[in-house]
């Protein structure tokens, strides 16, 4: 990290596959900030994701599909001292750049993320948000949809995202927790409710917990991913 964190450049890395319906809004939430760059890493979209991003004047690169692979590719292409990993269906709050720099200036802090708000009005989703807040603050385990950020130096030191088919954010946080504190910014990012609405809030939450338990029990990430996508889930 540079000595003057306030002057540090932030590279915002957005992994995307077929996100034509979301990518414009995600990029738009970065526009009122200074000293940033936006890198969209396209994993082989068959829609207009890459063309939309290019039309908005941001850097677009291609990589093999897979969120971890795409984010690592974006980090290699990044010129900023700070890396911010943003899902294509997540929106950043105004002033996110100042919040990030302030968070990383705190003694012992090695990385951070934001609180989470889900953009649907179901009461059950407020409970999901509460659970995310508890897990993030007390367990120091934010996930990728909370816009993880850290210095490029720390990211390189821990070897980047482990290139797993799933759980890459979980494993990254396990590695970072050993090095220091994970700051959680109280202002939330806003993420799409689509995955909760598609499968149902209860089922999505239950599957997420089973995935974590399976990972701890040594089930291969490839098999976990099949379960997560609903393939052969009945075999659990």
């Amino acid at each position: 990290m540079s000595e003057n964190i306030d002057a540090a450049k932030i590279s915002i890395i957005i992994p995307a596959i077929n996100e034509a319906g979301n990518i414009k809004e995600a990029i738009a939430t970065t526009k009122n900030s200074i000293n940033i760059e936006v890198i969209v890493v396209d994993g082989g979209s068959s829609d207009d994701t890459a063309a939309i991003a290019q039309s908005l004047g941001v850097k677009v690169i291609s990589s093999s599909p897979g969120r971890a692979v795409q984010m690592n590719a974006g980090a290699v292409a990044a010129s900023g001292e700070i890396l911010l990993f943003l899902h294509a269906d997540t929106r950043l709050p105004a002033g996110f750049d100042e919040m990030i720099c302030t968070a990383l200036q705190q003694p012992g802090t090695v990385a951070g993320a934001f609180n989470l708000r889900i953009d649907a009005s179901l009461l059950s989703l407020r409970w999901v948000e509460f659970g995310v807040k508890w897990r993030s603050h007390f367990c120091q385990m934010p996930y990728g949809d909370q816009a993880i950020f850290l210095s490029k130096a720390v990211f390189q030191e821990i070897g980047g995202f482990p290139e797993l088919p799933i759980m890459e954010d979980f494993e990254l946080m396990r590695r970072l927790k050993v090095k220091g504190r994970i700051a959680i910014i109280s202002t939330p990012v806003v993420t799409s409710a689509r995955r909760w609405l598609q499968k149902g809030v209860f089922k999505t939450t239950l599957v997420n917990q089973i995935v974590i338990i399976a990972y701890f029990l040594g089930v291969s990430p490839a098999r976990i991913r099949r379960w997560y996508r609903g393939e052969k889930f009945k075999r659990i």
Side-chain angles (χ1 to χ4, degrees):
M1 178 66 70
S2 64
E3 291 183 4
N4 186 358
I5 295 178
D6 286 328
K9 182 178 183 179
I10 301 176
S11 295
I12 303 167
I13 297 164
I14 308 176
I17 298 179
N18 295 331
E19 290 286 3
N22 287 307
I23 197 69
K24 184 176 180 178
E25 285 187 46
I27 293 171
T29 62
T30 72
K31 287 301 186 181
N32 292 326
S33 303
I34 58 172
N35 203 22
I36 66 164
E37 68 174 347
V38 178
I39 302 171
V40 173
V41 188
D42 188 77
S45 296
S46 58
D47 64 7
D48 293 330
T49 297
I52 292 169
Q54 287 171 336
S55 74
L56 295 172
V58 304
K59 182 185 292 186
V60 179
I61 65 174
S62 298
S63 84
S64 302
R67 186 170 275 157
V69 175
Q70 290 171 248
M71 291 189 291
N72 285 339
V76 170
S79 61
E81 296 93 341
I82 298 172
L83 305 178
L84 168 60
F85 297 96
L86 180 67
H87 288 186
D89 62 353
T90 298
R91 315 285 174 255
L92 292 167
F96 71 88
D97 47 347
E98 295 179 3
M99 297 178 203
I100 287 172
C101 290
T102 298
L104 289 177
Q105 285 177 322
Q106 303 308 307
T109 297
V110 295
F114 294 78
N115 273 333
L116 186 72
R117 184 159 67 84
I118 304 167
D119 66 350
S121 59
L122 292 174
L123 178 61
S124 54
L125 290 174
R126 305 292 78 82
W127 283 103
V128 172
E129 292 168 353
F130 177 80
V132 169
K133 187 173 183 179
W134 185 89
R135 184 195 71 223
S136 301
H137 284 270
F138 295 103
C139 300
Q140 294 273 277
M141 287 296 291
Y143 291 169
D145 53 8
Q146 293 173 250
I148 294 167
F149 57 85
L150 71 170
S151 73
K152 188 171 186 179
V154 169
F155 185 77
Q156 291 173 334
E157 185 180 334
I158 64 171
F161 280 97
E163 295 191 350
L164 305 172
I166 197 169
M167 303 292 287
E168 75 285 337
D169 48 358
F170 185 89
E171 188 59 38
L172 183 83
M173 283 299 144
R174 289 179 68 185
R175 296 178 184 182
L176 286 168
K177 283 170 62 176
V178 176
K179 298 186 65 63
R181 177 176 173 268
I182 311 299
I184 306 299
I185 294 174
S186 58
T187 303
V189 292
V190 179
T191 196
S192 169
R194 59 182 176 178
R195 60 192 173 100
W196 286 279
L197 298 180
Q198 285 170 357
K199 297 181 180 179
V201 176
F202 176 78
K203 182 177 179 181
T204 300
T205 304
L206 176 62
V207 169
N208 288 343
Q209 297 310 307
I210 291 173
V211 161
I212 293 169
I213 293 168
Y215 185 73
F216 273 123
L217 292 176
V219 178
S220 75
R223 177 171 290 181
I224 293 172
R225 186 179 185 181
R226 291 198 300 271
W227 289 346
Y228 188 77
R229 290 182 165 188
E231 302 169 23
K232 303 179 183 178
F233 188 77
K234 63 185 179 181
R235 294 188 182 179
I236 293 180

